[in-house]
Amino acid sequence: MSRTIISIDQSACTGCGLCVAACHEGAIAMVNGKAQLTRSDYCDGLGDCLPACPAGAISFITAPEVSPADADAVASASAATSAAGAPVTTAPAFATPSATASPAPASQLAQWPCQIRLAPTRAPYFDNCHLLIAADCTAFAYANFHQDFMAGCVTLVGCPKLDPVDYSEKLTAIISSNSIRAITLARMEVPCCGGLEMALRSALAASGKAIPLSVTVMGIKGDIQAIR
C-alpha cells in the first residue's frame, strides 16, 4: 500500500540529531553522522520531526508499497526507550522565565473567531482593516505579540501542518470579498511555516489585488529573524 511518510535529504542533513529527538515513534536514527528513516513502519506520517530540522532536510513523500504504521511495534519501542532512559539530545532548552507577577496587559484580539478555518469570508470588521495572518506558534514564541503585532489589526491564525486544508482558497475568498488595506504575515523560522506564507502569496495573486504585504519571521526563542 502507499501512504505518506517522511523523507530525509542526506545532502542537506547536518547531523544535529534534533529530528531523532522529535520523533516519538523512534522511526529515525543517526547512521554515520546523518539522520535516516530506519523504520518506515514506525513512521506515522504526521511529521513531528519536520519543524525540528533547522536545515529543512525533511519533507513528506507518498511512498508506494510501504507497510502500514505498526502501532504495536511503536508502543513496544517507546516502552523500551522509557525503561532505558531518554537519550541525550541537542534539543534547545530555554531559560525558565521569572515568576514575578506583573499587571496583565489588555488583549488586542479584535474579533472572533480568529482561526482561518472558522473565520467568515465576509465580515464588517474586514473593511479597510490591517489584516494579520499569524502562525499559531508566533504568539507563544514572541512575548509581546499582542501589543507589537495584534494591536490595531484583525487577526487570523492557523497552522498548515496541523490543519488538513489548503488555506489559499479561504484566504483568496477573504481578500477578494473585502477591502483590506494591508496584510502582515507573522511566521516562525521553521520550514512548515513556509506553507502558510505560500498560501497567502497564492491568495494575493489569485485575488488580483495589489495589497501591501509585510512578512516577519521569528526564531524559536522569540527573536525577530527577518522582516521582508
Side-chain angles (χ1 to χ4, degrees), residues 117-212:
R117 293 181 64 191
L118 302 179
T121 57
R122 181 76 181 91
Y125 50 74
F126 284 129
D127 289 336
N128 199 37
C129 79
H130 187 146
L131 180 62
L132 171 66
I133 306 292
D136 286 348
C137 297
T138 53
F140 293 94
Y142 189 85
N144 211 36
F145 192 79
H146 274 247
Q147 282 64 42
D148 290 356
F149 286 89
M150 293 173 59
C153 293
V154 168
T155 302
L156 296 178
V157 302
C159 175
K161 182 178 177 182
L162 299 181
D163 284 344
V165 295
D166 181 359
Y167 289 138
S168 58
E169 183 176 350
K170 183 64 171 289
L171 292 175
T172 298
I174 291 173
I175 295 169
S176 299
S177 303
N178 301 277
S179 54
I180 296 169
R181 73 174 188 273
I183 300 176
T184 293
L185 172 66
R187 55 160 291 185
M188 300 299 297
E189 62 179 328
V190 296
C192 55
C193 265
L196 185 58
E197 181 171 350
M198 183 181 299
L200 177 55
R201 292 189 182 278
S202 296
L204 273 170
S207 74
K209 294 185 175 181
I211 300 175

Side-chain angles (χ1 to χ4, degrees), residues 8-188:
I8 304 174
D9 181 351
Q10 295 294 291
S11 64
C13 176
T14 62
C16 68
L18 294 179
C19 60
V20 177
C23 179
H24 305 297
E25 291 72 36
I28 306 172
M30 298 299 296
V31 179
N32 297 324
K34 298 279 189 175
Q36 290 188 20
L37 177 64
T38 55
R39 292 296 302 261
S40 61
D41 56 332
Y42 283 16
C43 180
D44 58 12
L46 297 179
D48 286 345
C49 55
L50 193 149
C53 178
I58 302 176
S59 59
F60 292 110
I61 62 170
T62 300
E65 299 181 3
V66 174
S67 59
D70 189 337
D72 292 335
V74 170
S76 297
S78 297
T81 299
S82 298
V88 176
T89 72
T90 55
F94 307 143
T96 302
S98 171
T100 304
S102 59
S107 171
Q108 298 299 318
L109 185 62
Q111 90 295 332
W112 190 262
C114 60
Q115 286 285 341
I116 296 173
R117 293 181 64 191
L118 302 179
T121 57
R122 181 76 181 91
Y125 50 74
F126 284 129
D127 289 336
N128 199 37
C129 79
H130 187 146
L131 180 62
L132 171 66
I133 306 292
D136 286 348
C137 297
T138 53
F140 293 94
Y142 189 85
N144 211 36
F145 192 79
H146 274 247
Q147 282 64 42
D148 290 356
F149 286 89
M150 293 173 59
C153 293
V154 168
T155 302
L156 296 178
V157 302
C159 175
K161 182 178 177 182
L162 299 181
D163 284 344
V165 295
D166 181 359
Y167 289 138
S168 58
E169 183 176 350
K170 183 64 171 289
L171 292 175
T172 298
I174 291 173
I175 295 169
S176 299
S177 303
N178 301 277
S179 54
I180 296 169
R181 73 174 188 273
I183 300 176
T184 293
L185 172 66
R187 55 160 291 185
M188 300 299 297

